[in-house]
Every structure is written in C-alpha cells, then in structure tokens.
Amino acid sequence: MGKIILDKYQKKVIKNKSKNLLVIAGAGSGKTLTIVYKIKKLINDGINPLDILCITFTKAAATSLHNKLLKENININVKTFHSLGYQIIKSNKTVTLIDEENLDNIIINELNKYPKLNVLINANFIEIGKGNSDEIKNEIIKQTKYIEYLKDIIKTFINLFKSNNYPHNSFNKFHEENKKSNHYHKQYRHKEFLKLVKKIYIKYESYLKETNQIDFHDMLNQASDIVKKEGIYPYKYIIIDEYQDISFNKCELIKNIQKQTNASLLAVGDDWQSIYKFTGSNLEIFTKFKKIFPKAKIIKLKRTYRNSKELIKLTKKFIIKNPYQINKNISSNKTNKTPVHIYYYKNNISEIWNVISSKIKGKTYILGRNNKDKNKVPFIKKNMEYLTIHKSKGLEAQNVIIINLENTITGIPSKIQNSDYLLYVANKEDEYNYAEERRLFYVALTRTQSTVILLVNKTNPSIFVTELLKDSGKYIKICN
C-alpha cells in the first residue's frame, strides 16, 4: 500500500475501544482502508487473527478485502454471512444447498393447479360468450406472463418471510392484518393469496426436510439456533463491512454470536447507499444501531477522496430529502464547478453517442437501471464498461455515464410498484416516495472521481433530473 496517511476520522475509528461501534462511511471515504488498519491495530495489540471474525455480503467483496489484508501481511479468512452460516451448520450436521429453481418449480406447479388465478391478479377481463368465465380468465392468465409475475411475487414473499425469520404461525397474524386494513374485494383477494402462499411454503419446507437440503435463509436461521444452543468459536472481535445491507436474520446471528462470545463489534456502512430492501435488507437495523446494540458509539467518516465538493453538495441535497437518512457533512479537497453534465436526446441515445464517446478520456462506467439498458448503448469502447447501478456499488471510475433517465415505468426512478401482497413481510419503515430509488441514483452519481454525464430524454426527462436542475442547477452544465 506504500505510505498511508490516515485522516483524523479514520484514526478515531482505529483507536476507539467501544464494545459496539458503528462507522458511517460516506461514498469514497476510505472505509476499506479503515477496516484494514483497524485489524492491523488489533493484531498489534495482541489479538490473534483467528479471534477476529470478518464478514461481508458477497464473495467478490470478501475476496477483495482478503487481498487487501494480505498486502499488509494479515491472513484472515473474510467470510460472507452465508459461508459463515454454512460453516456453523456443517459442524453439526450434513446438509446440501438447494438449487433456487426447486422453489420456482414448486410455485409454478401449484399455480398451474390453482383454480382462482384470476382472483389473485384482480383480473377484470371482459367476459365473452356464454362459456365459463373463470375458465376463460384462467386460460388467458396461463397463456400470458401473469404466471411468471405471480411466481416472482410468491418467491419474494417466501424469501422475505424467511429473511425476517417469521415463526410458522405468522399467517394467522397476516390474516388478522388483512381483515383490519382491507376493504371487501381486496380482503378476499389477499385471503386467497395468503392461503396459497402458506400451502406453497409448507410444501417447500417439507421438501427441504425430506431431501436434507437448506436454502440461503436456512443457512442463517439454523446457524443462529445452533449458536444459541451449542455456542461457537470464542471470537473476540466481529467486523462487518457494508452494514447497510444487513437483514433481520443476519443481525440475529450476530447478536447470538456476541451473546456467546462477548466479542466487540465494529460495523461499517452507509445508510445513503442501502439499495437491497427487497432481498431483505432493513435500514432500521442501521439507523437504530444504538437500540439494538447497547453501549454503542457512532463515528462518521467525514472526508471523501473521490467526489468534488460541488458534487457532494448536489448529492447531499438530493438524498437527504428522504427523512429516514442519517444527516452527515462530508468534506473534500477536490473542486469541479460543474461535476454534472447533461446531454439531451430526442428519441434514443445513438443521436448523441458519437459526440460523448469521442470526448471521454479515462476509465468510464456506463450505468443503467437494469441489464437490458445495455442494449440502448450503440457501442462500448475499451475504456468503458456497462454495469447496472446495483453492480457498481463499491466501485469508482474517472467518469460515469448514466442512461435510461426517462420518466417511464422502467426508467430511473423505476415506477414498478411492489405488490401489495408483500406488505405483510416487508420492512414498514422507509416508505417515503421512491426512497430506495433515490438511494440507488445517489449511488450512481457518487461513483465518479471527476464528472457524471446524464443522458436525458428531452421530451420525457426523469423526475430526478428535473429535481436536480431545480435544486442544484448551478453545478450542472447543459452540453447541447
């Protein structure tokens, strides 16, 4: 790493001896460096590397952190939450991981047999002829994408149900909620949905038991139970990276490990970059850290080494409109009077692409809302790489180009509404309009070390772009 100069906030984290410490690390604030040097300090103070449990959320992030530690001659096996869970379970019994397709197949199979499909999707089809209208409706559903749509909702429901570690009898509570809060027609639809999901859930759990398999949620839930009953290796220190992605069952596992080992906890993350709500991440576990972990302290890393002062002002004004975000003041030594450039097009980005690609120098990320957005890019040069915004989290490039900034259902922000069926199992906090999409756009804007280029539909611009122009127009340059 060469000669490293740590700032005062990073040093504060490294020296801190609190039992539970949350480090709120803004975009580009050197959080990985802080983690590496914290671990270095712990080892220098006499803690055995084996006594440090270091966890993150993806294999790629675990490998990256492991390699950075190796450069400092520190050999710690950085685990993902799932590899930790699997390791705990395997030390107690022999199981295998189920292929996700099995759940898909169980759901599809049940949906194809289900006699009230039209009720579930609230399908008010025009009735034709004198045939059995329900049969006609169900036939139409089976021949369209509705089965796939329902499958995705049911799968998400079961995943959220398990990631929040709901007890099996929770369906009774959901039925009560339905009776209290929904009018007659909606109540009937929800009742049928809950009955069907319960049936599928029981079938899926039985299949897991019969075949001696576990899924990703069982890895955490069962590991948590084992730790409670059997104990675990006596770790002295737990370090969690990307803490803003924490879910209820991951948090429970950590709490149980801490109860058994009395380990100190260091959690590092940024609530402004929490973008995985519908895989179970729960922002409340981050924002209410002191309630969940007693005797806790919070330190903010307040300096960014990536973004300019002007971009920080623009992005802060944008993200902090969500009332659930934690306020923080980030400083920078970089200056860029207009860090955001807008190029307008009429029909598609190929009208302006040649001009942009000829001007771009240095490493550049092209960011879109989903994988299909890549098809909108006419060609990609050697120094360019297309990524979804979700995939870009944690990365940086000299320039960033953001596409799909149209006011459409699949644009940025996405207007695809989450099904009201999911409200039973979803985190209720953070229901400010487009809260998650706002954080997602914040992540996209802050990947740059220099300039962000927004490609915007002139006749139908994204509401986020309109908002940026209104609030922070002085930092934005219109280039055509």
Side-chain angles (χ1 to χ4, degrees), residues 237-428:
Y237 225 98
I238 302 166
I239 294 173
I240 307 172
D241 190 16
E242 301 287 1
Y243 187 72
Q244 75 279 345
D245 296 336
I246 194 97
S247 61
F248 178 80
N249 56 0
K250 292 181 180 99
C251 185
E252 282 299 294
L253 177 57
I254 294 304
K255 278 162 71 182
N256 286 329
I257 292 172
Q258 210 182 22
K259 268 179 206 159
Q260 292 285 1
T261 62
N262 200 29
S264 294
L265 170 66
L266 169 68
V268 184
D270 182 10
D271 61 296
W272 292 6
Q273 297 183 70
S274 175
I275 55 173
Y276 289 103
K277 184 176 177 179
F278 275 88
T279 60
S281 80
N282 185 333
L283 191 61
E284 235 181 324
I285 300 171
F286 189 103
T287 57
K288 296 187 176 168
F289 185 82
K290 284 186 170 180
K291 278 189 181 174
I292 297 165
F293 296 99
K295 296 178 189 166
K297 185 168 172 60
I298 294 174
I299 297 175
K300 297 176 185 178
L301 296 183
K302 295 183 184 177
R303 197 163 287 162
T304 180
Y305 300 90
R306 182 189 301 156
N307 307 141
S308 63
K309 290 172 187 166
E310 293 80 5
L311 188 67
I312 291 163
K313 283 177 187 167
L314 175 144
T315 51
K316 180 182 174 176
K317 200 166 192 179
F318 177 77
I319 193 72
I320 213 71
K321 284 191 181 178
N322 182 350
Y324 297 103
Q325 306 305 154
I326 297 167
N327 191 13
K328 51 185 168 283
N329 297 311
I330 301 166
S331 64
S332 170
N333 292 330
K334 285 187 173 184
T335 298
N336 182 351
K337 284 184 179 171
T338 52
V340 176
H341 291 183
I342 290 179
Y343 285 83
Y344 286 109
Y345 59 87
K346 230 178 183 175
N347 300 306
N348 55 63
I349 65 174
S350 57
E351 299 161 24
I352 51 173
W353 191 251
N354 283 338
V355 174
I356 292 156
S357 57
S358 64
K359 285 182 182 178
I360 288 289
K361 302 282 182 283
K363 186 181 173 185
T364 302
Y365 287 138
I366 304 160
L367 303 181
R369 181 66 186 76
N370 51 58
N371 289 317
K372 285 180 186 170
D373 284 350
K374 188 180 180 180
N375 302 331
K376 296 176 181 176
V377 183
F379 60 86
I380 295 174
K381 296 199 305 180
K382 262 186 192 175
N383 60 332
M384 294 176 168
E385 185 184 353
Y386 177 82
L387 293 166
T388 64
I389 303 171
H390 281 96
K391 281 274 164 65
S392 77
K393 190 157 78 73
L395 303 176
E396 61 183 21
Q398 193 175 335
N399 306 293
V400 166
I401 299 170
I402 306 176
I403 63 174
N404 199 3
L405 289 167
E406 302 191 2
N407 190 19
T408 57
I409 287 179
T410 55
I412 301 171
S414 165
K415 293 190 176 67
I416 296 169
Q417 292 245 314
N418 291 309
S419 166
D420 54 8
Y421 293 137
L422 297 177
L423 292 173
Y424 298 100
V425 285
N427 167 26
K428 302 290 191 290

Side-chain angles (χ1 to χ4, degrees), residues 3 49 56 78 106 112 120 146 152 157 198 221-222 250 261 271 277 357 399 418 428 438 477:
K3 177 86 174 119
T56 188
V78 182
I106 290 168
N112 280 324
L120 291 188
Y146 284 119
D152 288 345
F157 188 103
K198 185 181 178 182
N221 298 339
Q222 290 183 23
K250 292 181 180 99
T261 62
D271 61 296
K277 184 176 177 179
S357 57
N399 306 293
N418 291 309
K428 302 290 191 290
R438 187 169 286 273
K477 183 181 176 184

Side-chain angles (χ1 to χ4, degrees), residues 194-238:
L194 289 168
K195 273 162 61 180
L196 176 64
V197 174
K198 185 181 178 182
K199 187 182 177 188
I200 291 168
Y201 171 72
I202 290 167
K203 196 158 264 196
Y204 175 56
E205 289 296 293
S206 301
Y207 180 78
L208 286 167
K209 213 170 185 179
E210 284 160 21
T211 56
N212 197 30
Q213 295 183 91
I214 56 171
D215 62 21
F216 281 115
H217 304 296
D218 296 325
M219 276 185 185
L220 302 166
N221 298 339
Q222 290 183 23
S224 219
D225 291 339
I226 290 166
V227 169
K228 242 192 281 188
K229 291 171 195 161
E230 316 277 335
I232 191 173
Y233 178 86
Y235 293 107
K236 290 192 172 74
Y237 225 98
I238 302 166

Side-chain angles (χ1 to χ4, degrees), residues 8-61:
K8 62 179 179 180
Y9 309 108
Q10 292 168 328
K11 284 177 184 168
K12 207 174 168 184
V13 171
I14 292 159
K15 287 174 187 165
N16 189 278
K17 290 185 176 176
S18 299
K19 182 75 182 167
N20 297 308
L21 176 63
L22 174 64
V23 176
I24 303 178
S29 62
K31 73 176 176 69
T32 308
L33 186 72
T34 309
I35 290 170
V36 169
Y37 274 76
K38 178 72 176 181
I39 292 170
K40 199 173 181 178
K41 172 86 165 66
L42 291 172
I43 293 167
N44 288 344
D45 288 349
I47 290 187
N48 186 325
L50 291 172
D51 295 343
I52 301 169
L53 174 59
C54 197
I55 322 168
T56 188
F57 288 77
T58 64
K59 278 184 189 172

Side-chain angles (χ1 to χ4, degrees), residues 42-273:
L42 291 172
I43 293 167
N44 288 344
D45 288 349
I47 290 187
N48 186 325
L50 291 172
D51 295 343
I52 301 169
L53 174 59
C54 197
I55 322 168
T56 188
F57 288 77
T58 64
K59 278 184 189 172
T63 305
S64 170
L65 183 52
H66 178 69
N67 291 338
K68 281 169 184 167
L69 285 162
L70 281 178
K71 282 180 185 172
E72 292 294 313
N73 298 315
I74 299 164
N75 191 1
I76 283 182
N77 181 12
V78 182
K79 302 177 195 300
T80 64
F81 270 97
H82 291 115
S83 68
L84 171 65
Y86 200 43
Q87 178 195 316
I88 294 165
I89 292 167
K90 268 171 61 181
S91 65
N92 275 259
K93 56 182 179 177
T94 310
V95 286
T96 52
L97 180 63
I98 195 167
D99 189 316
E100 256 186 76
E101 273 185 25
N102 285 276
L103 178 54
D104 290 359
N105 295 338
I106 290 168
I107 297 169
I108 294 282
N109 191 30
E110 288 303 313
L111 282 172
N112 280 324
K113 289 192 294 192
Y114 188 67
K116 298 177 182 175
L117 279 175
N118 59 301
V119 172
L120 291 188
I121 62 157
N122 203 15
N124 300 313
F125 293 114
I126 298 164
E127 294 182 13
I128 305 160
K130 292 177 183 173
N132 180 320
S133 61
D134 280 350
E135 278 181 22
I136 292 167
K137 288 172 186 175
N138 286 335
E139 207 45 53
I140 293 167
I141 291 164
K142 284 179 184 178
Q143 286 172 26
T144 60
K145 289 180 180 172
Y146 284 119
I147 289 270
E148 196 64 28
Y149 168 70
L150 281 169
K151 182 211 70 172
D152 288 345
I153 291 170
I154 293 167
K155 189 176 182 179
T156 303
F157 188 103
I158 290 170
N159 282 329
L160 288 172
F161 185 89
K162 293 187 78 167
S163 84
N164 286 308
N165 208 356
Y166 279 105
H168 291 207
N169 62 359
S170 295
F171 284 94
N172 300 337
K173 192 182 83 181
F174 299 157
H175 279 294
E176 286 306 312
E177 267 180 57
N178 178 30
K179 278 180 199 167
K180 277 181 202 165
S181 54
N182 292 328
H183 57 73
Y184 174 75
H185 290 294
K186 192 175 178 181
Q187 198 179 107
Y188 175 61
R189 183 162 57 86
H190 278 232
K191 186 177 87 173
E192 292 304 320
F193 176 83
L194 289 168
K195 273 162 61 180
L196 176 64
V197 174
K198 185 181 178 182
K199 187 182 177 188
I200 291 168
Y201 171 72
I202 290 167
K203 196 158 264 196
Y204 175 56
E205 289 296 293
S206 301
Y207 180 78
L208 286 167
K209 213 170 185 179
E210 284 160 21
T211 56
N212 197 30
Q213 295 183 91
I214 56 171
D215 62 21
F216 281 115
H217 304 296
D218 296 325
M219 276 185 185
L220 302 166
N221 298 339
Q222 290 183 23
S224 219
D225 291 339
I226 290 166
V227 169
K228 242 192 281 188
K229 291 171 195 161
E230 316 277 335
I232 191 173
Y233 178 86
Y235 293 107
K236 290 192 172 74
Y237 225 98
I238 302 166
I239 294 173
I240 307 172
D241 190 16
E242 301 287 1
Y243 187 72
Q244 75 279 345
D245 296 336
I246 194 97
S247 61
F248 178 80
N249 56 0
K250 292 181 180 99
C251 185
E252 282 299 294
L253 177 57
I254 294 304
K255 278 162 71 182
N256 286 329
I257 292 172
Q258 210 182 22
K259 268 179 206 159
Q260 292 285 1
T261 62
N262 200 29
S264 294
L265 170 66
L266 169 68
V268 184
D270 182 10
D271 61 296
W272 292 6
Q273 297 183 70

